[in-house]
Amino acid sequence: MTPGDTPESKAAITLEGVNKWYGAFHVLKDINLTVQGGERVVVCGPSGSGKSTMIRCVNRLEEHQQGKITVDGVELTNDVRTVERIRRNVGMVFQQFNLFPHLTVLQNLTLSPMWVQKQPKKEATATAMEYLERVHIPEQAQKYPGQLSGGQQQRVAIARALCMKPSIMLFDEPTSALDPEMIKEVLDVMVELAEGGMTMICVTHEMGFAKTVGNTMVFMDEGIIVEMAPPKDFFDNPKSERTQKFLSQILTH
Amino acid sequence: MARREQTPSQIIAREEEPRDVSLPPPEAPPSSPALAVGWVRQHLFSSIPNTVLTLVCLWLLWLTVPPMISWVFIDAVWSGSDPALCRAAEGACWAFVTEKHRFILFGLYPFDEHWRPLLAMALFVATLVVSCNPLFWRPWLGLLWSVVVPVCGLLMWGGVFGLTFVENARWGGLPLTLILASVGIVCSFPIAILLALGRRSDLPGIRAVCVGFIEFVRGVPLISVLFMASVMFPLFLPEGMTIDKLLRAQVGIIIFTAAYLAEAIRGGLQAIPRGQYEAADALGLTYWKKTFFIILPQALKISIPPIVNQFISMFKDTSLVIIIGLFDLLTTAKTALTDPPWRAFYVESYLFAALIYWMFSFFMSRYSQYLERRLETGHKR
């Protein structure tokens, strides 16, 4: 497929008939999903439904066994160089932040630009400081992650992913490990990012966030995409019974 | 507040800190009982069994400590070259050490050239002390070592600049022990890291080689490794080719230490959470960059206690090279006793050697504790 001649080629991410097993356990069943450039997809569903596994397949933290995943026009294969190329273009934010505890905040941010993209230290530092400003914690640059609060750590993690100038961001339950009073500061940063036009797939249970920034809601259960709809339709008249039940459970409190 | 009427500033103050009204002021912790006497009563004489135990301990200390002090210091003979004086005295015969210290420290190295190993050791230890300070962890430190090591070698071997040549079969005592230990540490460390990484590799071939090596070397005593290196290994060499005895012992020590160290480092590697690998992967770091920048720094920090444990143990195990006829510090201390008039003073000789071993080991131990504190970044797992 040459770029530009089919509608799919504009898609940032496509998953076609993706299947994955953990041993005998079938985690992802025939997943089909297309994310356009600039689109914000919010994935929700009960725990164990395969949401995290799905987005982790997109940057090859997990390997799919069947089907085809294409990121920015490049098909994910076992080839190490393809995987590294895609990872450079896809930023990821984890539930547990996963900052490098032995490096300062600034070093966390500059490591990959300097050693993967071969940027000079000065340039990498300037970019890092710029993104720290964007997540509102430039004053923490010289601290170690262990000295920051959870919300601050997660914002550093977002800045770290952004320093690679990715075209796609994956968020794997970014607020689930945070104390309630810190969720907002992280979501605010994510909203700003969405307003900047970033392509995002976000696994989250923050339905307020989903309504504000999401273009598409995806509901998964038992490894299947049960429902996929714009937020308004999704929340106002969910079609499947499972979606209705899930929404009633998470929206009542 | 006594007065009803409040000044404006008081009102503002109360408005600014409304929470102070409800929150109690911070309290000091309850004071502990009167210092010394209270502590003694509380910890040593709190009950009858405790009191009995305390008294027994005091009695044992009374029995052992004063005689020891008078043996080591008060009744000791400190100098003189006459063993008869020592035999007449009640206490330790440190005269033995003053008489024999040059042999114990330098072994069979030519007597008139002892300044050379002494200078080499002084240079080496000084550079080592400098290297311990993180302030000096700069590129020039590597440069310094690349000068100091050849200079030490030059001093030890000689053969140029009018220094007589001393073959390394005549090296002995403390320099030999330091060489075996420091070369052993420096060379075994990278090998151990590769072995530990290899043991966790996804590639079955590499994993099998590393597991095989580690398990084989760990399964045999160091003495037999040294024996193999000195007796069996030459059998496999082509005729006429010989490898120096010291080098063979050194290689034996390196592979033995590397196998043990690898397991200590593997322990550290296993303690690194999966999220660290995933974050590094997600940032596009390759295997070696991920290992070098993210995984190893954390794994090695966790492994400092077992790594230093291994280094200390290896430092003392170098004394096993006596089995293949090298004159390390412990062997020279023992050989010094073969002089008939001084034969009786083996306790002093061994204590002297033990003190030297202890000083180096204690230094390593303290330094590792310092490093652990310095590398602490406030991260709780």
Side-chain angles (χ1 to χ4, degrees):
Chain A
M1 183 189 330
T2 50
D5 63 352
T6 53
E8 292 97 289
S9 65
K10 279 188 226 149
I13 305 166
T14 54
L15 285 79
E16 296 167 63
V18 172
N19 277 284
K20 179 173 174 61
W21 290 264
Y22 284 132
F25 178 60
H26 201 170
V27 247
L28 295 181
K29 299 171 187 162
D30 222 15
I31 298 287
N32 289 293
L33 178 71
T34 305
V35 183
Q36 304 296 336
E39 190 179 352
R40 276 97 59 186
V41 175
V42 176
V43 185
C44 61
S47 63
S49 59
K51 331 178 276 291
S52 290
T53 310
M54 182 180 78
I55 70 163
R56 288 156 64 89
C57 280
V58 172
N59 68 347
R60 205 41 157 215
L61 288 185
E62 304 278 355
E63 217 170 296
H64 61 286
Q65 283 122 353
Q66 254 179 32
K68 190 173 155 188
I69 299 179
T70 316
V71 181
D72 266 340
V74 183
E75 188 186 341
L76 258 180
T77 57
N78 272 327
D79 180 47
V80 180
R81 265 167 301 170
T82 312
V83 173
E84 276 163 15
R85 192 173 142 197
I86 286 174
R87 282 174 178 168
R88 260 175 264 175
N89 212 9
V90 178
M92 187 159 196
V93 176
F94 300 86
Q95 184 179 356
Q96 299 293 344
F97 330 135
N98 294 354
L99 293 177
F100 306 129
H102 62 300
L103 302 177
T104 63
V105 166
L106 191 60
Q107 288 168 332
N108 264 279
L109 267 62
T110 55
L111 181 80
S112 201
M114 278 169 64
W115 292 97
V116 177
Q117 296 178 333
K118 318 275 184 217
Q119 285 178 21
K121 188 177 181 183
K122 221 175 148 186
E123 188 188 329
T125 307
T127 316
M129 288 313 295
E130 184 191 320
Y131 281 112
L132 280 180
E133 303 264 1
R134 290 236 324 240
V135 300
H136 317 299
I137 36 174
E139 73 283 0
Q140 311 286 0
Q142 300 304 332
K143 288 198 186 163
Y144 286 98
Q147 297 164 318
L148 305 185
S149 73
Q152 291 172 326
Q153 289 192 48
Q154 192 61 300
R155 286 186 280 154
V156 171
I158 294 172
R160 179 176 70 177
L162 291 175
C163 278
M164 292 292 282
K165 305 261 166 77
S167 62
I168 298 167
M169 285 286 286
L170 307 173
F171 291 87
D172 188 2
E173 305 207 26
T175 55
S176 303
L178 294 176
D179 291 333
E181 75 270 23
M182 292 170 185
I183 290 177
K184 189 174 174 296
E185 65 188 55
V186 172
L187 288 181
D188 285 347
V189 167
M190 290 168 63
V191 170
E192 285 167 30
L193 198 59
E195 283 162 358
M198 177 68 77
T199 310
M200 293 165 60
I201 303 185
C202 186
V203 174
T204 186
H205 292 140
E206 294 296 329
M207 290 304 144
F209 170 77
K211 282 178 194 163
T212 328
V213 304
N215 302 119
T216 309
M217 291 294 303
V218 171
F219 174 67
M220 286 182 76
D221 194 12
E222 294 180 357
I224 297 170
I225 294 188
V226 177
E227 191 157 347
M228 191 161 24
K232 196 164 168 17
D233 300 344
F234 181 82
F235 289 109
D236 294 348
N237 35 35
K239 289 186 190 67
S240 95
E241 209 173 293
R242 274 194 275 184
T243 316
Q244 288 163 8
K245 195 174 159 222
F246 177 75
L247 285 176
S248 70
Q249 279 166 348
I250 63 166
L251 292 179
T252 43
H253 57 258
Chain B
M1 207 162 291
R3 280 172 52 171
R4 275 272 163 87
E5 289 171 22
Q6 289 174 331
T7 61
S9 70
Q10 280 172 320
I11 295 168
I12 288 166
R14 283 193 65 177
E15 277 172 354
E16 273 176 355
E17 297 159 329
R19 282 189 296 164
D20 281 5
V21 181
S22 56
L23 286 179
E27 271 176 40
S31 58
S32 39
L35 288 170
V37 177
W39 187 91
V40 165
R41 194 170 291 158
Q42 192 183 341
H43 291 91
L44 301 180
F45 300 99
S46 58
S47 64
I48 292 173
N50 217 347
T51 308
V52 172
L53 210 59
T54 303
L55 291 175
V56 169
C57 287
L58 284 175
W59 179 64
L60 284 175
L61 286 176
W62 174 246
L63 280 186
T64 53
V65 174
M68 206 154 75
I69 289 174
S70 57
W71 185 81
V72 173
F73 298 105
I74 299 165
D75 300 338
V77 178
W78 292 90
S79 58
S81 52
D82 186 8
L85 271 176
C86 277
R87 246 171 268 128
E90 295 267 306
C93 177
W94 302 123
F96 168 84
V97 174
T98 40
E99 179 77 7
K100 299 285 186 188
H101 73 277
R102 287 182 65 168
F103 179 79
I104 295 175
L105 287 177
F106 301 115
L108 301 173
Y109 207 92
F111 192 83
D112 293 331
E113 306 286 335
H114 278 180
W115 63 273
R116 282 159 54 182
L118 183 66
L119 187 59
M121 276 200 301
L123 257 178
F124 175 82
V125 171
T127 318
L128 194 71
V129 169
V130 168
S131 309
C132 283
N133 191 334
L135 277 179
F136 303 132
W137 291 352
R138 297 271 179 278
W140 58 260
L141 193 62
L143 214 66
L144 180 64
W145 275 108
S146 65
V147 172
V148 167
V149 171
V151 168
C152 287
L154 193 86
L155 283 167
M156 292 299 290
W157 267 300
V160 279
F161 303 131
L163 299 172
T164 48
F165 176 71
V166 181
E167 52 173 352
N168 54 19
R170 300 195 65 181
W171 296 4
L174 186 57
L176 184 75
T177 296
L178 287 182
I179 289 168
L180 286 170
S182 52
V183 175
I185 286 173
V186 169
C187 296
S188 64
F189 197 52
I191 299 174
I193 288 175
L194 290 177
L195 283 171
L197 291 172
R199 196 167 184 167
R200 289 167 56 83
S201 169
D202 294 331
L203 306 169
I206 291 180
R207 197 169 53 228
V209 169
C210 293
V211 172
F213 179 88
I214 292 171
E215 295 303 339
F216 173 72
V217 175
R218 279 204 309 171
V220 294
L222 176 58
I223 287 193
S224 59
V225 172
L226 291 173
F227 244 130
M228 279 191 282
S230 77
V231 181
M232 279 171 61
F233 182 64
L235 299 179
F236 299 111
L237 288 176
E239 206 152 330
M241 185 181 167
T242 54
I243 294 182
D244 180 66
K245 191 156 73 169
L246 175 60
L247 184 62
R248 277 179 277 150
Q250 184 73 73
V251 171
I253 287 173
I254 289 170
I255 61 169
F256 190 79
T257 310
Y260 274 89
L261 263 188
E263 287 298 279
I265 294 170
R266 189 168 68 95
L269 287 173
Q270 270 168 346
I272 307 299
R274 229 181 102 193
Q276 292 290 306
Y277 291 87
E278 290 181 346
D281 283 340
L283 286 168
L285 293 166
T286 58
Y287 174 82
W288 287 108
K289 284 175 188 160
K290 172 174 70 177
T291 304
F292 185 75
F293 290 118
I294 308 300
I295 305 304
L296 274 182
Q298 298 184 59
L300 292 179
K301 189 200 130 193
I302 299 172
S303 319
I304 287 176
I307 287 173
V308 173
N309 197 28
Q310 192 55 45
F311 284 160
I312 290 176
S313 159
M314 181 264 255
F315 178 67
K316 293 175 294 178
D317 280 350
T318 55
S319 57
L320 290 174
V321 294
I322 184 179
I323 207 82
I324 56 172
L326 292 176
F327 269 70
D328 75 298
L329 180 61
L330 191 62
T331 315
T332 51
K334 194 175 164 186
T335 312
L337 293 163
T338 50
D339 191 5
W342 296 100
R343 206 167 273 172
F345 307 110
Y346 53 90
V347 178
E348 289 83 345
S349 186
Y350 285 126
L351 274 179
F352 178 59
L355 180 70
I356 295 174
Y357 278 108
W358 179 81
M359 284 192 314
F360 281 95
S361 304
F362 186 66
F363 168 75
M364 283 193 264
S365 164
R366 298 303 300 190
Y367 184 63
S368 80
Q369 287 170 24
Y370 161 78
L371 264 191
E372 275 182 72
R373 275 196 309 274
R374 188 171 186 283
L375 296 175
E376 178 57 50
T377 57
H379 179 70
K380 309 271 180 295
R381 285 187 199 284

